Amino acid sequence: MAIVDLVMPKLGESIMEATILKWVKNVGDAVKMDETILEIATDKVDSEVPSTAEGVITELLFKENDVVPIDAVIARIETSGSVPAAAPVTIKTVQPSEGNIITEEIKETPAEVVATQIKKDVKTHTAKFYSPLVLNIAAQEGVPLHELEQIEGTGNDGRVTKNDLLNYIASRSKKDVSLPVKAVSNEAAAGTSSSYSSPATQSSGNVEIIEMDRMRKLIADHMVRSVQTSPHVTSFSEADVTNIVLWRDSVKNSFQQREGTKITFMPLFIEAIVRCIKKFPLINSSVDGDKIIIKKDINIGMAAALPNGNLIVPVIKNADQLNLVGLTKQVNHLADAARNSKLKPDDTQGATFTLTNVGTFGSLMGTPIINQPQVAIMAVGAIKKRPVVIETPHGDSIAIRHMMYISMSYDHRIIDGSLGATFVTAVAKELENFQPPAL
């Protein structure tokens, strides 16, 4: 007989912990290799953790809703014979009854969903990030943001753990605290201003009360934190995309027959954005305290709608190294994976700029919220035919053209209006000057 330790697997480059949602197996249960033992959640996706050995579970070291650091031993399995070297754990995404998490998360996401974490120096940070469990406890116990920020965390990178918060609440209850218990709403726990607490909502009459699912709570948290972190400014432009529309209409059938996938407008937009980012690299950056980190990789997050109405932001890695066919296949693959809950944790990691197509739902324009820790997010609106004045060698004339509004929200800490407006205009010009590729 031998004992094998099951550890919390690595779930992405910036993910340091995960919350245990459900133990599928209990002590005494027999498990096979790669059989699911538990379900976990991060601020990106929900996942299943499979067994790394065949045997009988002898010990579960954490309870449901516990937040567990990566590489921690979470269970032990008794096996027969010698123990082979453990193979890397493969994480499978879960069909989301409540959805997978944005990021950026937009996503993100969303934006949102979507969300990556802003890492600050512990000694000089202006914002902290908390696990969903910590935020839920804070909301239930009436602990506002400014109090959370005063708690000294013992977790990785100084994070506040569940035990840190419970110890603080226990000590606080012994003092004369004027804050009403449970008077702080989910929004306050998710990061509303420390000088304001939302009053408890009293509902009566002909109303319907819907409890936020876990994904929606995390989206709300991510969006509120983004607005608090970055002073948002939005610039607008419009683009004549007639050439793109006519070209796509002329090649979409042959493209699908040849490549086995549909060509949409999204990869064309991403291609134009990537070209402009190369001209204006500050757009592809993040802020760390008083430092600006310019990213050399261009990873484009694209907001994708989920069937349940929530959003997630899968990421096209190294988008600048893909041609139009490659971008098209990546866009379609990630969009399909998002709709069918087949995204892997790494698929929502590492975005440096986000694009959201608000025109998909008929909106002419939007003012999206930045997907932290990025510094800009672009929205493209619906393409509409409009009469437009155009210049010709024979003078001005009016023609029916396919027009589209473009907007970009950006972090005014490092991107001023001149750069923001210049970048939006550059993307519009790039789309207007579209040259059909050789396919």
Side-chain angles (χ1 to χ4, degrees), residues 21 25 44 88 105 108 110 116 187 202 261 263 324 387 408 428:
L21 295 179
K25 297 290 186 179
K44 302 298 179 186
E105 348 93 86
E108 17 151 204
T116 55
E187 288 84 356
Q202 299 294 329
T261 189
I263 182 167
L324 184 58
M408 186 176 78

Side-chain angles (χ1 to χ4, degrees), residues 185-352:
S185 67
N186 284 340
E187 288 84 356
T192 51
S193 170
S194 59
S195 62
Y196 173 79
S197 292
S198 300
T201 301
Q202 299 294 329
S203 299
S204 61
N206 187 23
V207 300
E208 179 184 4
I209 300 175
I210 301 175
E211 181 71 23
M212 284 188 186
D213 60 28
R214 189 178 57 81
M215 179 179 183
R216 178 51 54 185
K217 290 177 182 178
L218 290 176
I219 292 173
D221 169 49
H222 190 64
M223 295 298 98
V224 170
R225 288 178 182 279
S226 181
V227 172
Q228 287 188 327
T229 300
S230 299
H232 281 55
V233 176
T234 305
S235 292
F236 298 84
S237 185
E238 65 175 346
D240 183 344
V241 294
T242 304
N243 292 339
I244 290 178
V245 172
L246 296 179
W247 175 81
R248 176 182 171 273
D249 287 343
S250 67
V251 304
K252 61 183 181 181
N253 291 332
S254 59
F255 186 95
Q256 183 173 0
Q257 185 176 11
R258 182 177 61 254
E259 303 297 340
T261 189
K262 294 181 180 179
I263 182 167
T264 63
F265 290 112
M266 185 65 83
L268 295 163
F269 299 153
I270 292 174
E271 188 177 52
I273 289 170
V274 166
R275 288 174 179 163
C276 294
I277 286 177
K278 290 183 176 180
K279 300 175 185 177
F280 304 97
L282 190 60
I283 297 294
N284 200 56
S285 65
S286 62
V287 180
D288 184 8
D290 57 0
K291 298 180 178 65
I292 300 172
I293 303 172
I294 298 178
K295 309 295 179 62
K296 300 299 183 181
D297 295 329
I298 301 178
N299 303 330
I300 304 298
M302 60 172 204
L306 295 171
N308 63 3
N310 287 321
L311 294 168
I312 197 166
V313 187
V315 181
I316 300 173
K317 305 290 179 60
N318 299 311
D320 55 320
Q321 299 178 21
L322 300 174
N323 61 15
L324 184 58
V325 174
L327 285 173
T328 300
K329 291 184 176 181
Q330 274 291 92
V331 166
N332 292 344
H333 164 71
L334 291 172
D336 182 68
R339 285 190 294 267
N340 294 286
S341 189
K342 294 181 179 179
L343 287 174
K344 300 175 182 177
D346 191 56
D347 289 336
T348 59
Q349 294 286 322
T352 59

Side-chain angles (χ1 to χ4, degrees), residues 349-410:
Q349 294 286 322
T352 59
F353 184 94
T354 296
L355 171 65
T356 177
N357 188 350
V358 299
T360 300
F361 307 103
S363 181
L364 290 177
M365 63 183 72
T367 55
I369 296 176
I370 297 167
N371 191 6
Q372 298 294 331
Q374 299 161 42
V375 296
I377 179 173
M378 180 166 285
V380 290
I383 299 174
K384 298 287 187 180
K385 289 183 180 180
R386 297 209 315 267
V388 177
V389 175
I390 59 174
E391 297 179 356
T392 71
H394 307 290
D396 293 343
S397 64
I398 297 177
I400 303 299
R401 307 293 289 178
H402 296 266
M403 303 299 294
M404 181 182 74
Y405 289 110
I406 304 172
S407 60
M408 186 176 78
S409 298
Y410 46 93

